[in-house]
Amino acid sequence: MPTIEYKGKTFEVDEDGFLVKGLEEWCQEWVEYVKELEGIEELTEDHWKVINVLQDYFKKNGIAPMVRVLSKVTGYPLKKIYELFPSGPGKGACKMAGLPKPTGCV
Amino acid sequence: MSEKTYDPIYDQPYDPTLAEKLYNPKKPMENRITDIGPPKYDQFFPPVIKKNYGKWVSHEILEPGVLKYKSETGDVVYVVRCGTPRLITTDYIREICDIADKYCDGYVRWTTRNNIEFHVTDEETLRALMDDLKGRKHPGGSYKFPIGGTGASVTNIVHTQGWVHCHTPATDASGVVKAVMDDLFEYFGSHRLPAQVRIALACCLNMCGAVHCSDIAILGIHRKPPLVEDDRITGVCEIPLAIAACPLGAIKPATVEIEGKKIKTVRVNEKRCMFCGNCYTMCPAMPLADGEGDGIAILVGGKVSNRISAPKFSKLVIPYLPNEPPRWPSVVKAIRHILEVYEKHARKYERIGDWIERIGWEKWFELTEIPFTEKSIDDYRLAYDTYRTSTHFKFTNHVAVK
């Protein structure tokens, strides 16, 4: 597994750049690292709201929320989520939140 | 293309550096074009197709692989259908384009079974095109553009990714397809079968493509339960998804201790597992591919058309044949055998499924001498409907009469 060094921290990631150990290794630096990757200029409160909802839901349920649940809880329609995270809720927001890589026939 | 096109991008010469010029990784959303969809289909119509769109009167098959369509305007168009391996290089596509430029004014199309079709409007060009196609071969000797696939033939095999690109296969796709089509090549360029025979392959029972509704289906299967990688499952899996992925409820959550740490994981009830691999699709820490365990199952009797009988699902007749790369001789032999028995016994217009339903499954197993195993007996939820609730049956060699 490749590792990424960023601002003095080391992250173990898979080939798509998702954290292999998930929330265990997740921290502020990871968020900033993904922010650069994603071409997000500035992290706003809206970004953090999505990240927090994802993490809370994952801690409580063991899975990432369905897109409709994410929209309903945050109050952001899918279009807005794409505006915040250009790669979308899976590759963008879940990666930044430290959730496991989405699986299935994606 | 002389006529006005819908999409301005096709009026300009292709600029391979354009994407790089437009894309700035620092600002990925700048200059971004999205939601433009595919180009409109009719801008790629050959002029004769465009002119006679919706006016076709009749067609005939002149010879295997060659069709002739007549329009009410009096126009005719000849179509030459060629097999392709589906997985192809840009060099090969360029060669197709060269042929299309030479004979078809640059127009060409692909069929829903990944054959190529060239359109010409006069017989002289048709003959020249066919002679040209027949002469083109790969350095290894195989035809680049074999002509056929029409009428009561075995046309191209709808298939999947296999070991070329997918992570859940139980067998290969391209390799098996090449081996089978080599063996059945005579059926591709002839019309000697009672009806068309559709063969499809899927490398796992996700069944991408058409295996569930094909006359003969080749399906990759596993025979061993998944391994659970406890040391990494928590990080890479959403465990409830893996549990819900199981059609038989064989997976349950568990906690194990590794190096003094309690870790959430799952356990598989191996007696319940039927090796479908759905859990691996959802959870990368549950791999189940196995060199000796994996292999191929053969299903027969499916179809999608409504002609005479309703569409049918294909049914399992050979539960397991080993993976034997690179030529899969057992699979090739089994498929040829099924095809030959069908060719010999079925009536005209009867698809394989129609034929089997007429003679009865017990008679079909007797004719083909394929051993009937308990693996063909359905045991999943709605299985009852597939059992025989009637006294109507024929005595076959499966019944020992004393």
Side-chain angles (χ1 to χ4, degrees), chain A residues 45-105:
Chain A
E45 268 179 44
D46 294 345
H47 287 101
W48 279 107
K49 189 167 172 191
V50 174
I51 294 172
N52 289 335
V53 167
L54 286 173
Q55 291 189 338
D56 292 346
Y57 192 95
F58 184 78
K59 281 176 197 155
K60 197 170 151 200
N61 300 298
I63 57 172
M66 279 174 276
V67 169
R68 290 174 61 147
V69 174
L70 182 65
S71 283
K72 201 167 180 183
V73 178
T74 57
Y76 303 149
L78 190 57
K79 189 165 180 287
K80 163 104 178 176
I81 293 172
Y82 269 92
E83 278 162 16
L84 297 171
F85 301 94
S87 308
K91 278 169 76 184
C94 280
K95 185 195 269 187
M96 197 182 259
L99 266 53
K101 180 164 66 183
T103 54
C105 300

Side-chain angles (χ1 to χ4, degrees), chain B residues 109-330:
Chain B
R109 74 177 284 270
W110 264 257
T111 70
T112 53
R113 296 189 82 87
N114 303 304
N115 293 307
I116 321 169
E117 285 185 351
F118 296 102
H119 295 65
V120 294
T121 47
D122 64 282
E123 226 157 310
E124 201 181 323
T125 323
L126 172 71
R127 290 298 144 197
L129 168 65
M130 287 177 67
D131 288 343
D132 188 346
L133 290 171
K134 282 175 189 161
R136 290 179 190 249
K137 286 188 175 184
H138 289 289
S142 51
Y143 287 103
K144 279 183 175 170
F145 303 104
I147 297 170
T150 52
S153 67
V154 175
T155 183
N156 224 349
I157 299 183
V158 167
H159 64 281
T160 55
Q161 306 200 32
W163 297 331
V164 170
H165 196 71
C166 191
H167 67 297
T168 64
T171 186
D172 190 28
S174 295
V176 187
V177 164
K178 167 71 173 153
V180 172
M181 279 314 282
D182 275 353
D183 190 58
L184 303 182
F185 189 61
E186 58 191 287
Y187 290 96
F188 181 77
S190 67
H191 290 160
R192 46 198 262 207
L193 292 163
Q196 72 267 47
V197 171
R198 301 287 184 238
I199 305 181
L201 176 146
C203 43
C204 80
L205 37 68
N206 218 357
M207 293 193 174
C208 299
V211 284
H212 66 297
C213 57
S214 291
D215 292 288
I216 302 178
I218 309 164
L219 180 65
I221 51 147
H222 302 284
R223 295 186 303 162
K224 292 182 183 178
L227 294 167
V228 183
E229 297 173 340
D230 289 333
D231 51 342
R232 70 187 196 107
I233 189 166
T234 323
V236 297
C237 291
E238 301 167 60
I239 287 169
L241 293 188
I243 294 165
C246 184
L248 293 175
I251 303 173
K252 57 178 187 195
T255 311
V256 293
E257 221 177 88
I258 296 180
E259 291 163 8
K261 268 205 303 189
K262 291 222 163 162
I263 287 175
K264 277 188 195 164
T265 179
V266 295
R267 283 292 170 264
V268 178
N269 180 348
E270 299 192 355
K271 284 191 176 146
R272 289 205 133 203
C273 179
M274 60 170 174
F275 331 120
C276 69
N278 274 353
C279 51
Y280 177 61
T281 301
M282 298 316 291
C283 173
M286 298 179 75
L288 79 164
D290 180 87
E292 275 143 35
D294 296 352
I296 282 173
I298 306 284
L299 295 81
V300 301
K303 72 185 197 84
V304 286
S305 82
N306 250 318
R307 201 203 51 185
I308 301 173
S309 60
K312 301 179 208 299
F313 283 127
S314 47
K315 298 198 164 54
L316 178 79
V317 291
I318 303 179
Y320 173 78
L321 292 167
N323 272 331
E324 297 162 319
R327 299 297 294 177
W328 278 267
S330 314

